[in-house]
Amino acid sequence: MQSDGSSFPEAVEKLASEAGMEIPKDDPQQEEKARERQSLYDVLARVQELYRQNLYTAEGREGLAYLTRRGLREETLERFGLGWSGDGRSLVAALRADGITVEQLAQVGLMRLGEAGHPRGELFFNRVTFPIRDRKGRVISFGGRILGDGQPKYLNGPETPLFSKRRTLFNLDHATQAVRKGAELVVVEGYMDAIALDQAGLQGAVAPLGTALGEEQLELLWRLTPRPIICLDGDQAGQRAALRVCEVALPLLSAEKSLSFCRLSEGDDPDSFVQREGATAMAERFAHARPMVEELFNLLSVREVNPGPEQRAALRERLIALSRQIPERNLASEYRSTFLDLFFERFRRHKGKRGARSPGRVSTGPREPRSVAEGAVERLNVLTVLIVCHPAILPHIEQAYTQLMLPDTLNDVREAVLEWADQSEELTAENCQKWMQEHGLGEVLSSLIDGPLPRTLRSARSDDDMLKVDVLESWWHFYALVNFASFEREVQQSVEDVLMAAYSKSSDSSEGERFPVSILARMKVVEALKRGEQPELDEGTDAPP
């Protein structure tokens, strides 16, 4: 089952045949069903022969010309069994000599029937036909493409006893053989994409059948390889399809089952790309397919060019919610961490010149040394300790905190604090420091806490409302010492925003009468620094609360 991608009954049948053993017979009822199914396979095989012959008649000339214009060679037409349906009025008569009935054609989905069961006409007419085969290579249905402007452009056969769209992939039989020989398993959007890649020598391509890729089709892929590549069209529809694949796959992921994504430029599809650039260029794209976690983040954030706080908060919440859909706890945690790394990298840490480099989890190379102004390291240490020991202030200062340029050690602490805060229901020092200890940052944390702190905060109580203001003001004081000019501009803008909001309220409204405490704390810091005041540091080693 693992080596051939076979189902259990298929594996048993094959091994028994090789060993010269006879599989126990089904009961008479099961045998009758097997005979009926075999007869339906025979019907489809005979229809396939007829469609194939039609392609080379005068009636099928237009279809053959279309396939030739699309760049398909004779051997490719033969390999895939492409054909022509005819005018939609000759199938019954042509197959009557073979004993094939209208009812059988209806059973395999090739004949439309009225409410009373009377034939209403053939499903395919004036269409190029694409036989759809199962893993054993047996024809189980057809797809058809109309020429000209008719709709629908592509039409697949309906659900039948032999054919289920959600359990089938186009070209799965050829792709299975190719993957066993080392080819990449690639999911593309349509028949012609899979055929074009196969003709170019990239024979591991499959395609869903007019529907979005579903759970059962993903399981088919994972039976062949742990990380198939999804390569859809580069247009908006392709992006929506990729997002849908990610959403379907998330609850099914494990450490052994994932997806990679190959993104093409807008206006390209695998067919056009491989015919223009060649198989080597296409294979190179497959080799650089990116992990699903990065593709999903990019799909969700692509429209967020300059998002405000509300948009950023909504995006972050959606990313966290998506990570929770993964059943394996460790994998879900890794997805969540990577989502947040990518989020902060894109929207927080590269804002202006103060943005920090890419976080360690998504870095592709060794860390580069940070450039921190002389004398600033001690102040940055204090800023970090204030947050770790009084994390309740984090919502008030988070945006400024994420924009600071920090040395690598403090950056590791920041990433850990932000990750903890995102999943914690209660922002307490005890919970924060316990989480940091569990994640290998205990020694770093101890060295920071034993360092200098504002003297007035050494013995303060963490649950005191006035303390929260004092801590917040102290944090902004040290933040301002790192870059006062920028800080003053930010405070001025915040004050103007609040005043504008207050004056826009109705005169009898109580909203806006109370000045925001976070802005008030920063205003006090600006005035104190203009007066030349500096916070006093206590060099003692008593741990703060």
Side-chain angles (χ1 to χ4, degrees):
M1 288 172 65
Q2 293 178 355
S3 63
D4 291 349
S6 302
S7 66
F8 179 78
E10 291 169 346
V12 171
E13 181 181 350
K14 181 177 180 181
L15 291 172
S17 175
E18 292 175 357
M21 298 173 65
E22 186 176 348
I23 299 296
K25 298 295 185 183
D26 293 326
D27 58 45
Q29 187 176 6
Q30 291 295 326
E31 289 182 10
E32 179 60 28
K33 287 183 178 181
R35 282 193 293 270
E36 289 178 1
R37 288 176 63 87
Q38 184 56 51
S39 68
L40 295 182
Y41 286 122
D42 294 338
V43 168
L44 287 165
R46 182 67 186 95
V47 172
Q48 162 61 10
E49 291 177 10
L50 185 62
Y51 284 167
R52 182 79 180 120
Q53 293 167 7
N54 288 345
L55 186 65
Y56 295 96
T57 64
E59 186 182 13
R61 185 182 300 115
E62 187 180 358
L64 181 59
Y66 164 77
L67 295 171
T68 303
R69 286 197 305 271
R70 293 294 299 263
L72 300 187
R73 299 188 293 267
E74 173 63 29
E75 57 267 29
T76 302
L77 301 181
E78 184 66 31
R79 174 173 168 82
F80 285 89
L82 306 187
W84 179 255
S85 66
D87 60 8
R89 295 189 294 267
S90 59
L91 196 58
V92 174
L95 298 175
R96 186 176 293 121
D98 297 296
I100 295 175
T101 65
V102 171
E103 290 73 22
Q104 287 177 310
L105 291 173
Q107 278 186 286
V108 295
L110 295 178
M111 183 66 66
R112 302 177 190 272
L113 297 179
E115 293 182 3
H118 301 299
R120 293 176 51 194
E122 298 173 22
L123 178 66
F124 299 110
F125 54 91
N126 294 331
R127 288 178 181 266
V128 172
T129 58
F130 300 80
I132 300 169
R133 301 178 300 272
D134 64 11
R135 200 165 33 232
K136 293 183 177 180
R138 298 174 297 191
V139 177
I140 55 176
S141 188
F142 291 90
R145 189 200 193 282
I146 198 167
L147 303 183
D149 300 326
Q151 293 295 329
K153 181 184 293 185
Y154 282 96
L155 178 66
N156 290 305
E159 300 281 310
T160 71
L162 301 184
F163 175 57
S164 172
K165 292 179 184 178
R166 69 179 186 275
R167 297 191 183 98
T168 309
L169 291 163
F170 178 76
N171 197 42
L172 183 61
D173 56 332
H174 291 157
T176 298
Q177 298 298 325
V179 170
R180 290 175 191 162
K181 297 176 183 177
E184 293 281 9
L185 180 60
V186 181
V187 180
V188 293
E189 192 165 323
Y191 304 132
M192 292 301 296
D193 294 318
I195 294 172
L197 291 179
D198 186 280
Q199 179 174 268
L202 304 170
Q203 298 180 333
V206 297
L209 299 162
T211 60
L213 203 64
E215 294 182 11
E216 289 164 299
Q217 290 167 321
L218 286 172
E219 293 294 350
L220 281 176
L221 297 171
W222 283 323
R223 285 168 64 178
L224 296 177
T225 182
R227 183 170 291 184
I229 297 171
I230 310 296
C231 183
L232 304 177
D233 296 356
D235 56 12
Q236 293 294 321
Q239 292 185 23
R240 289 192 296 271
L243 180 58
R244 167 64 179 159
V245 171
C246 291
E247 291 172 340
V248 172
L250 277 171
L252 308 174
L253 295 184
S254 70
E256 294 78 30
K257 297 190 303 185
S258 187
L259 300 171
S260 295
F261 286 79
C262 174
R263 176 72 66 86
L264 299 178
S265 303
E266 187 170 358
D268 251 336
D269 56 36
D271 180 11
S272 63
F273 185 90
V274 77
Q275 294 213 37
R276 186 183 68 250
E277 304 292 337
T280 301
M282 190 80 258
E284 184 72 12
R285 289 294 186 96
F286 292 158
H288 290 88
R290 60 183 166 190
M292 176 174 150
V293 65
E294 294 182 19
E295 177 70 8
L296 183 51
F297 175 82
N298 286 323
L299 288 168
L300 293 174
S301 62
V302 66
R303 295 182 182 275
E304 304 293 349
V305 178
N306 188 25
E310 297 83 2
Q311 289 77 25
R312 291 197 302 271
L315 174 60
R316 186 166 66 171
E317 182 58 35
R318 186 176 183 189
L319 292 169
I320 293 172
L322 287 172
S323 68
R324 294 194 187 109
Q325 295 183 25
I326 301 173
E328 286 192 3
R329 185 174 179 179
N330 289 339
L331 183 60
S333 177
E334 287 299 322
Y335 260 69
R336 185 182 182 284
S337 297
T338 306
F339 276 148
L340 293 176
D341 285 341
L342 293 168
F343 177 87
F344 290 126
E345 164 71 6
R346 178 159 182 178
F347 296 117
R348 300 287 181 89
R349 298 178 188 165
H350 278 299
K351 186 175 181 180
K353 295 183 179 179
R354 291 181 300 167
R357 61 157 183 82
S358 172
R361 285 190 190 91
V362 294
S363 175
T364 57
R367 293 185 173 187
E368 297 178 0
R370 295 177 177 275
S371 175
V372 180
E374 185 178 353
V377 174
E378 185 177 79
R379 295 165 182 168
L380 296 174
N381 287 345
V382 172
L383 288 172
T384 302
V385 174
L386 287 174
I387 291 172
V388 172
C389 296
H390 304 282
I393 70 170
L394 190 57
H396 301 286
I397 52 86
E398 181 178 358
Q399 185 164 352
Y401 182 43
T402 57
Q403 293 171 2
L404 280 170
M405 177 172 285
L406 300 177
D408 287 335
T409 300
L410 295 184
N411 186 56
D412 290 340
V413 174
R414 172 171 59 186
E415 290 181 5
V417 168
L418 293 174
E419 184 173 353
W420 163 77
D422 278 325
Q423 60 184 302
S424 179
E425 296 181 358
E426 188 177 4
L427 300 182
T428 66
E430 181 181 1
N431 290 344
C432 179
Q433 293 175 30
K434 179 181 178 182
W435 195 92
M436 302 277 281
Q437 292 277 356
E438 293 173 349
H439 288 74
L441 291 169
E443 187 175 338
V444 173
L445 194 61
S446 297
S447 66
L448 291 172
I449 290 177
D450 289 341
L453 266 183
R455 183 174 298 168
T456 57
L457 302 180
R458 272 289 178 188
S459 59
R461 291 171 45 199
S462 61
D463 59 351
D464 188 336
D465 288 340
M466 286 304 297
L467 169 65
K468 186 183 294 184
V469 176
D470 290 341
V471 172
L472 191 60
E473 187 174 330
S474 293
W475 195 92
W476 284 117
H477 209 137
F478 283 94
Y479 175 84
L481 288 174
V482 176
N483 189 346
F484 178 72
S486 176
F487 175 73
E488 185 179 21
R489 287 194 300 271
E490 292 171 4
V491 173
Q492 182 179 355
Q493 183 62 52
S494 297
V495 172
E496 291 175 357
D497 291 343
V498 170
L499 292 176
M500 183 67 70
Y503 279 107
S504 67
K505 304 288 183 183
S506 59
S507 58
D508 58 348
S509 172
S510 62
E511 295 185 49
E513 295 178 0
R514 187 175 179 182
F515 211 78
V517 65
S518 61
I519 297 180
L520 185 61
R522 285 183 282 168
M523 290 175 65
K524 289 181 179 179
V525 169
V526 170
E527 293 304 316
L529 290 175
K530 286 184 175 180
R531 292 193 300 268
E533 296 180 10
Q534 296 283 344
E536 295 183 15
L537 295 179
D538 185 349
E539 301 293 340
T541 58
D542 294 335

